[in-house]
């Protein structure tokens, strides 16, 4: 049986903390964004974050998905607009994968200009390969799917765990 230990859940929501750093390097807490969708300590909201301007992107893997109560995971990307009054507005929720076996909670991000890439890997064996989704960013800062690239080596289920862009090149790590 896969998934995370069901006894691990403390019932407390996971969070992302946003700080402003002044010219001297001093950080001041601006806001706390709690996990949406009823995610708790058993889930991995906030394990991966990316910020560009006033847009915060957070990865989350929901181990309590109603589609699979056995502990398999639904991975998602959440996009927030950070408002000037120290609040955050959820502007987009994207489901990357449902019923992933023992996902591991890591979703990788890379942004270059108006291109945003998401690596979504899966831990287990030959039937569960990771993938990379390439998105364009529209004027409202929402992501629009351009292409999904699946790992083609059945033994590299770590495909998508690490990603990086430079110019017109995209590097995708496949560590297993």
């Amino acid at each position: 049986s896969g998934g995370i230990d069901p006894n691990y859940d403390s019932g407390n929501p996971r969070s992302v903390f946003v700080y402003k750093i002044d010219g001297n390097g001093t950080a001041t807490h601006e806001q706390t964004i709690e996990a949406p969708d009823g995610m708790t300590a058993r889930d991995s909201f906030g394990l991966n974050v990316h910020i560009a301007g006033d847009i915060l992107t957070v990865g989350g893997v929901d181990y309590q998905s109603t589609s699979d109560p056995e502990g398999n995971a639904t991975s998602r990307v959440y996009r927030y607009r950070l408002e000037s009054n120290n609040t955050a507005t959820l502007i987009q929720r994207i489901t990357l994968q449902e019923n992933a076996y023992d996902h591991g909670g890591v979703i990788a991000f890379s942004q270059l200009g108006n291109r945003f890439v998401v690596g979504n890997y899966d831990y287990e064996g030959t039937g569960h390969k990771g993938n990379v989704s390439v998105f364009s960013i529209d004027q409202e800062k929402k992501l629009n799917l351009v292409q999904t690239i699946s790992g083609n080596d059945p033994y590299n289920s770590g495909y998508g765990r690490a990603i990086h862009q430079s110019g017109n090149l995209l590097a995708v790590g496949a560590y297993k």
Side-chain angles (χ1 to χ4, degrees), residues 15-133:
S15 303
V16 172
F17 300 90
V18 179
Y19 296 84
K20 183 174 281 183
I21 301 177
D22 68 18
N24 296 322
T26 302
T28 304
H29 180 254
E30 292 284 311
Q31 61 186 296
T32 301
I33 301 164
E34 290 192 1
D37 302 329
M39 297 173 81
T40 65
R42 187 170 178 247
D43 305 312
S44 65
F45 179 83
L47 185 60
N48 307 92
V49 297
H50 178 83
I51 193 165
D54 65 345
I55 301 297
L56 172 68
T57 304
V58 181
V61 178
D62 182 357
Y63 289 98
Q64 300 179 45
S65 172
T66 56
S67 66
D68 189 355
E70 298 300 316
N72 289 337
T74 298
S75 56
R76 294 188 184 96
V77 172
Y78 300 89
R79 301 265 291 175
Y80 295 88
R81 181 179 321 296
L82 301 176
E83 309 292 353
S84 59
N85 63 355
N86 292 341
T87 63
T89 302
L90 180 63
I91 62 171
Q92 190 173 26
R93 174 188 290 111
I94 298 172
T95 298
L96 299 172
Q97 183 177 9
E98 291 185 330
N99 300 324
Y101 177 83
D102 200 12
H103 186 281
V106 178
I107 299 170
F109 301 125
S110 177
Q111 181 173 345
L112 183 63
N114 285 329
R115 185 173 59 230
F116 195 85
V117 180
V118 178
N120 182 47
Y121 84 106
D122 193 347
Y123 267 159
E124 271 309 306
T126 60
H128 302 277
K129 294 182 273 186
N131 61 59
V132 172
S133 297

Side-chain angles (χ1 to χ4, degrees), residues 1-11 40-42 63-64 69-71:
S1 128
I4 196 164
D5 180 358
N7 298 318
Y8 175 70
D9 192 356
S10 68
T40 65
R42 187 170 178 247
Y63 289 98
Q64 300 179 45
E70 298 300 316

